[in-house]
Amino acid sequence: MQMIDLRSDTVTHPTSAMRRAMAEAEVGDDVFGEDPTVNRLEELAAERLGKEAALFVSSGTMANLVCQLTHCGRGEEMILGDQSHIFHYEQGGSAAVGGIHPRIIPNQPDGSLDLTAVEASVRAENVHFPRTRLLVLENTHNRCDGAPLDPEYMSEAASLARRHGLKLHVDGARIFNAAVALGIDVRQLSGPADSISFCLSKGLSAPVGSLVCGSREFVGEARRARKLLGGGMRQAGVIAAAGMVALTEMVDRLAEDHANARRLAEGLAGIEGIATDPDRFQTNIVYFDLIEKRMTPAQLADRLQERGVRVLPVGPVRLRAVTHHPVTRSDVDRALEEISRAMKNR
Ligand code: TLP
């Protein structure tokens, strides 16, 4: 029985084209700047996102941390959402490693931050206060239903940041999902940002890697931060080669994941004991709640695993399911059947 793993889009395996590219990759020492495949990937990423330069790092967490360290000094403040990945799931690396002070603003259900609240949180120059240096947005927003932020909002946020002398960093782990869902060029979303990170190892299916994009000067400094964190890699062309395939072959097909997520959410909404609203989900992330207390999310997840379907319990009543390559429409239908059966036999 083939397992249908919907816990995350991080579980994707490299495609055959990626495996071939990895086997044949031309390599060199990337700390010397001499890995031709890494250099090509960085150039391609910068070009795709409309930035001067890019830096290949090992993970989304490292990408975000490198950017925070580059924008902020110790004791300086960054404004970010209370539901952001950086705040929830990155071990407080900004504080632990960078001494950066987080200023938390509630995320709106659509993943945005109320810009009036952001503006009110920017510190005045005063000997008592940390200095505000950075505004962070997440697009798509993982914990806010995978919601994409649109270009108008990104531009407004960037103007606000500029007015107050702040930089704007975008955790764009799934920025291509946002662009595909909105039907626009990704540059419309990345353009307003001073720095943007995105992951190759989520919906784009590469085994490892993220990119940090920004001005040449910013990326030069980010390269120093990456080395500080032990993230200088050597013959990294072996993994960058898969990233090239991810960027050239795997972006447009994200639309399929979004359609599958929609189908999944619609099916879930029709299952007794489950509550969700399919209209909330525009990309590949679906959340659903158990409305009867007879089973916990962990118990449902265990029961489904025995039946060949994996979902992620994420709260006292909440679970998450994420669609990705190569989960098909018929896999979604099979998952729905199993979930429906598991709910009936509770
Ligand atoms: N998200 C993972 C888990 O860490 C929760 C997932 O399964 O969704 N930014 C965003 C918005 C993310 O969703 C993630 C990973 C990261 C950054 C970190 O990326 P990695 O896992 O490569 O460090």
Side-chain angles (χ1 to χ4, degrees):
M1 177 178 57
Q2 182 75 30
M3 183 67 79
I4 302 170
D5 193 344
L6 302 173
R7 288 172 302 163
S8 180
D9 48 10
T10 58
V11 304
T12 46
H13 287 190
T15 62
S16 323
M18 287 179 190
R19 288 178 187 275
R20 271 197 305 279
M22 291 169 80
E24 290 161 13
E26 228 188 311
V27 297
D29 189 327
D30 181 49
V31 175
F32 288 116
E34 290 172 4
D35 189 300
T37 310
V38 171
N39 292 343
R40 270 203 297 277
L41 175 64
E42 290 177 345
E43 275 160 33
L44 179 66
E47 194 254 312
R48 284 288 153 91
L49 274 83
K51 298 292 182 200
E52 283 175 5
L55 179 72
F56 186 44
V57 297
S58 64
S59 67
T61 303
M62 183 180 274
N64 282 330
L65 186 53
V66 156
C67 290
Q68 292 167 75
L69 291 174
T70 307
H71 288 303
C72 303
R74 300 189 71 79
E76 293 182 335
E77 196 164 75
M78 66 174 172
I79 299 174
L80 76 172
D82 67 342
Q83 297 304 317
S84 62
H85 193 276
I86 290 179
F87 186 61
H88 271 269
Y89 299 124
E90 299 184 13
Q91 266 197 43
S94 42
V97 181
I100 300 163
H101 196 243
R103 183 77 184 270
I104 304 305
I105 308 258
N107 275 107
Q108 317 270 83
D110 68 356
S112 68
L113 297 176
D114 173 4
L115 295 181
T116 310
V118 171
E119 190 147 35
S121 304
V122 178
R123 305 280 193 161
E125 181 61 36
N126 180 308
V127 74
H128 297 88
F129 299 154
R131 286 186 167 132
T132 317
R133 290 288 187 223
L134 182 64
L135 170 62
V136 178
L137 296 173
E138 186 175 312
N139 197 6
T140 63
H141 201 293
N142 185 340
R143 285 175 61 91
C144 296
D145 300 333
L149 298 173
D150 63 39
E152 292 71 33
Y153 178 79
M154 302 300 284
S155 296
E156 263 181 67
S159 320
L160 185 158
R162 260 194 302 278
R163 263 199 320 277
H164 292 280
L166 316 184
K167 299 294 184 192
L168 173 63
H169 171 65
V170 176
D171 174 354
R174 298 184 179 85
I175 196 69
F176 287 102
N177 292 86
V180 167
L182 298 170
I184 57 175
D185 189 302
V186 70
R187 290 185 192 88
Q188 289 184 252
L189 299 172
S190 54
D194 294 290
S195 61
I196 178 161
S197 52
F198 72 90
C199 295
L200 299 165
S201 59
K202 298 195 166 61
L204 302 184
S205 300
V208 188
S210 291
L211 284 127
V212 164
C213 306
S215 67
R216 209 171 299 288
E217 190 190 348
F218 175 84
V219 169
E221 288 303 305
R223 196 173 289 278
R224 286 186 62 83
R226 182 186 71 172
K227 192 74 177 81
L228 174 73
L229 298 175
M233 296 184 278
R234 301 297 177 175
Q235 286 70 36
V238 170
I239 48 178
M244 291 292 292
V245 178
L247 266 184
T248 48
E249 293 182 11
M250 302 301 282
V251 172
D252 293 342
R253 64 151 306 287
L254 293 172
E256 208 180 302
D257 298 341
H258 300 171
N260 284 337
R262 174 85 199 185
R263 186 175 180 87
L264 179 67
E266 281 167 0
L268 285 167
I271 296 175
E272 213 189 306
I274 288 180
T276 190
D277 173 5
D279 290 338
R280 275 173 25 211
F281 310 110
Q282 297 175 61
T283 63
N284 66 331
I285 298 180
V286 173
Y287 287 96
F288 58 101
D289 294 336
L290 297 184
I291 47 179
E292 290 170 21
K293 297 265 155 50
R294 278 186 271 168
M295 204 173 4
T296 64
Q299 285 165 337
L300 176 61
D302 286 347
R303 194 173 284 193
L304 286 172
Q305 188 171 345
E306 287 163 19
R307 298 158 185 259
V309 176
R310 301 193 77 178
V311 292
L312 193 69
V314 291
V317 297
R318 182 157 286 197
L319 295 107
R320 186 181 80 162
V322 185
T323 53
H324 52 79
H325 178 79
V327 171
T328 60
R329 187 182 153 110
S330 63
D331 290 333
V332 166
D333 292 343
R334 202 188 111 209
L336 283 169
E337 263 168 46
E338 295 301 349
I339 296 169
S340 175
R341 208 168 291 157
M343 292 297 292
K344 280 196 194 107
N345 298 344
R346 60 189 177 259

